[in-house]
């Protein structure tokens, strides 16, 4: 059985949002530059669909204390 991937929606200092997903291995993945909370939530739903096809579960992380912090530019943009 696949271990869950946890995620959080993070408020960035520039007023945008980012989705940070952390795999059970501890690897973190970040998708930043999202202009609205609705856009961030849509990103989460897309991630949920992809992970479900891989047999993994996406679960919301209750606290953001263990999330990696990156205030620099998003490498995906």
């Amino acid at each position: 059985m696949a271990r869950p991937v946890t995620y959080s929606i993070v408020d960035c200092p520039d007023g945008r949002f980012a989705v940070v997903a952390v795999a059970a291995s501890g690897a973190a993945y970040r998708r930043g530059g999202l202009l609205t909370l609705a856009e961030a939530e849509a990103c989460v739903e897309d991630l949920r669909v992809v992970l479900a096809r891989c047999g993994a579960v996406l679960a919301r992380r209750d606290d953001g204390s263990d999330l990696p912090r990156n205030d620099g530019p998003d490498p995906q943009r």
Side-chain angles (χ1 to χ4, degrees):
M1 180 176 186
R3 292 183 277 182
V5 174
T6 59
Y7 79 92
S8 288
I9 296 175
V10 180
D11 294 328
C12 298
D14 64 359
R16 296 180 187 191
F17 297 90
V19 174
V20 179
V22 180
S25 67
Y29 303 91
R30 182 179 186 271
R31 168 68 167 95
L34 303 164
L35 298 176
T36 65
L37 184 56
E39 190 177 354
E41 290 170 345
C43 180
V44 168
E45 289 309 311
D46 290 344
L47 180 59
R48 186 180 315 279
V49 169
V50 170
L51 290 175
R53 290 186 179 178
C54 296
V57 176
L58 184 64
R60 185 173 187 101
R61 182 180 212 94
D62 290 329
D63 66 337
S65 60
D66 294 336
L67 293 176
R69 184 170 174 102
N70 179 2
D71 291 332
D74 186 5
Q76 297 177 358
R77 289 248 168 193

